[in-house]
Amino acid sequence: MQAEYQKRRQQLMSKLGNGTAIFRSAPMAVMHNDVEYTYRQDSDFFYLTGFNEPQAVAVLAPHHPEHQFVLFVQPKDREKEVWTGYLCGVDAAKELYGADEAYPISELDEKLPQYLEKADRIYYHLGRDRTFNDTVLKHYQSLLRTYPKRGTGPIAIADTGPILNSMRLVKSEAELELMRQAAAIATEAHNHALKATTPGRYEYEIQAEIEHIFRLRGAMGPAYPSIVASGVNACVLHYIENNRQMQDGELLLIDAGCAYGYYNSDITRTFPVGGKFTPEQKILYEIVLEAQKKAIAQVQPGNPFNLVHDTAVRVLTEGLVEVGILKGEVDKLIEEEKYKPYYMHRTSHWLGLDVHDVGVYQHGENPQILQPGQILTVEPGLYIVPDTKLAEDQPATDPRWVGIGIRIEDDVLVTSTGHEVLTAGVPKAVDEVER
């Protein structure tokens, strides 16, 4: 993988001109008192280095004659390593991670100026780490004060996001391999959950079944808190309590994905706890399924990103009108967003190192155009919330629909000729999910 990281750094540096880019590792996060969460590296930092330790800084200085890639890391510390694990150290940072030069993190203030003083701007994403923001600004202001004497130095700070995010949006073959594995593991977990679900079990039991598969198959763990929502809980988009006993006649909505090699999957399926849909559940389920199928069909290179959502909204709105939950002309209902009490979220998001991955969706008035190598979710849903606030001039909801929540989500890769559903191995047709 080091060749992959090097290629990414070279690609980024080719876009920096005479600038210097600075990246800070993610801080440790405290769970309680003196116990920390399992460490998870900052996605940009990992994307460019593969380095998985806190208290590190990466500097990319394409204009420097010798050191274009510099790492500042924690030095080897035997006493500390006994408690918290082995550290890479300064020497190995060069040997294992390809740095042209490496220094102890304690020398950052001393050494950083030499990589900034010949740059015309600093590339850095302000906001993630307030303390380190101050460090970068301190060096920037110091060099700005001495600029008149030297005639060189950074005179602006630019965000790394616009450049780096567009790179991360299109996945390489190495990234696709990791994402296919993340999808395969989550697929197995969802299929197991379908078989393991029976009336009387608790939501957390199914969560345990799913996350057991994640770790058993080598995933880092859940990509996000697993949603295992039965009955009316399925109407809460980010329900994570997972503590309710499931009953016959209800639906179970599972939104769960895993992280594998830092890359994520994201799958949602909804199915009957007791094995058979009620007539009302089946009607709404088939509306959502049809919306998803038609939305996925729009995942084609050259299509605008928002066409996926617009397609899903039309099918959902048509279905709601047909069953009498909405009334009126479909075009007007869509224009006035009167479907939103029942479908309040977007249909897609980018997927990659982050579950809601980086990358713009809109360039001013123009939507992002889909291109090969992008991966997005397609996840329409319908949620007939008990206390729904109805849109103006819309009928009261028939009680037979109330409390039904349905979402169906797949991870879809844009290919040169169309698309590939990475999570197609999880059944979703009615006759496949009924038991």
Side-chain angles (χ1 to χ4, degrees), residues 128-141:
R128 290 178 183 164
D129 184 331
R130 184 171 296 178
T131 301
F132 193 67
N133 290 347
D134 292 341
T135 298
V136 173
L137 290 171
K138 176 186 68 176
H139 285 285
Y140 168 62
Q141 291 166 341

Side-chain angles (χ1 to χ4, degrees), residues 121-359:
R121 67 181 56 204
I122 297 171
Y123 285 89
Y124 173 70
H125 182 76
L126 287 162
R128 290 178 183 164
D129 184 331
R130 184 171 296 178
T131 301
F132 193 67
N133 290 347
D134 292 341
T135 298
V136 173
L137 290 171
K138 176 186 68 176
H139 285 285
Y140 168 62
Q141 291 166 341
S142 175
L143 290 166
L144 205 56
R145 283 193 299 270
T146 60
Y147 180 85
K149 297 178 181 178
R150 294 176 289 102
T152 63
I155 56 174
I157 296 181
D159 194 346
T160 53
I163 299 174
L164 193 58
N165 293 355
S166 63
M167 290 172 52
R168 283 178 52 186
L169 185 55
V170 178
K171 274 57 180 179
S172 68
E173 285 302 319
E175 291 178 288
L176 292 179
E177 184 178 340
L178 293 170
M179 293 198 68
R180 285 194 173 95
Q181 186 61 25
I185 294 170
T187 293
E188 180 181 346
H190 273 264
N191 289 340
H192 176 69
L194 176 63
K195 297 174 183 175
T197 298
T198 56
R201 297 195 77 180
Y202 283 84
E203 294 165 343
Y204 58 73
E205 294 182 71
I206 306 306
Q207 177 184 0
E209 300 272 8
I210 291 167
E211 294 178 5
H212 171 71
I213 297 291
F214 289 169
R215 292 296 287 145
L216 190 66
R217 297 291 178 253
M220 300 165 69
Y224 49 90
S226 299
I227 298 168
V228 184
S230 62
V232 72
N233 289 342
C235 294
V236 180
L237 299 184
H238 290 164
Y239 169 82
I240 58 172
E241 284 79 5
N242 301 346
N243 57 12
R244 183 177 177 276
Q245 189 178 38
M246 301 177 293
Q247 306 298 323
D248 195 9
E250 298 177 339
L251 296 178
L252 178 63
L253 184 156
I254 300 176
D255 186 339
C258 68
Y260 182 85
Y262 267 82
Y263 286 83
N264 300 291
S265 53
D266 188 357
I267 305 173
T268 306
R269 289 294 187 270
T270 309
F271 55 88
V273 171
K276 297 293 181 183
F277 288 103
T278 67
E280 290 77 16
Q281 291 168 352
K282 184 177 179 181
I283 289 168
L284 294 185
Y285 183 89
E286 289 185 323
I287 292 172
V288 176
L289 182 59
E290 182 67 12
Q292 200 219 21
K293 287 179 178 178
K294 288 190 174 177
I296 288 175
Q298 299 300 336
V299 180
Q300 303 282 341
N303 276 356
F305 177 88
N306 60 3
L307 182 58
V308 178
H309 177 69
D310 293 345
T311 300
V313 165
R314 178 162 293 276
V315 176
L316 293 173
T317 304
E318 289 172 347
L320 291 172
V321 170
E322 187 175 341
V323 301
I325 294 176
L326 288 177
K327 69 173 184 178
E329 296 180 3
V330 170
D331 286 345
K332 189 172 183 181
L333 291 169
I334 293 173
E335 181 184 353
E336 297 178 352
E337 298 186 332
K338 291 191 174 179
Y339 61 86
K340 276 199 167 182
Y342 310 105
Y343 181 50
M344 60 291 292
H345 60 80
R346 300 291 292 181
T347 304
S348 300
H349 59 77
W350 303 125
L351 185 68
L353 276 169
D354 294 305
V355 176
H356 289 182
D357 208 22
V358 297

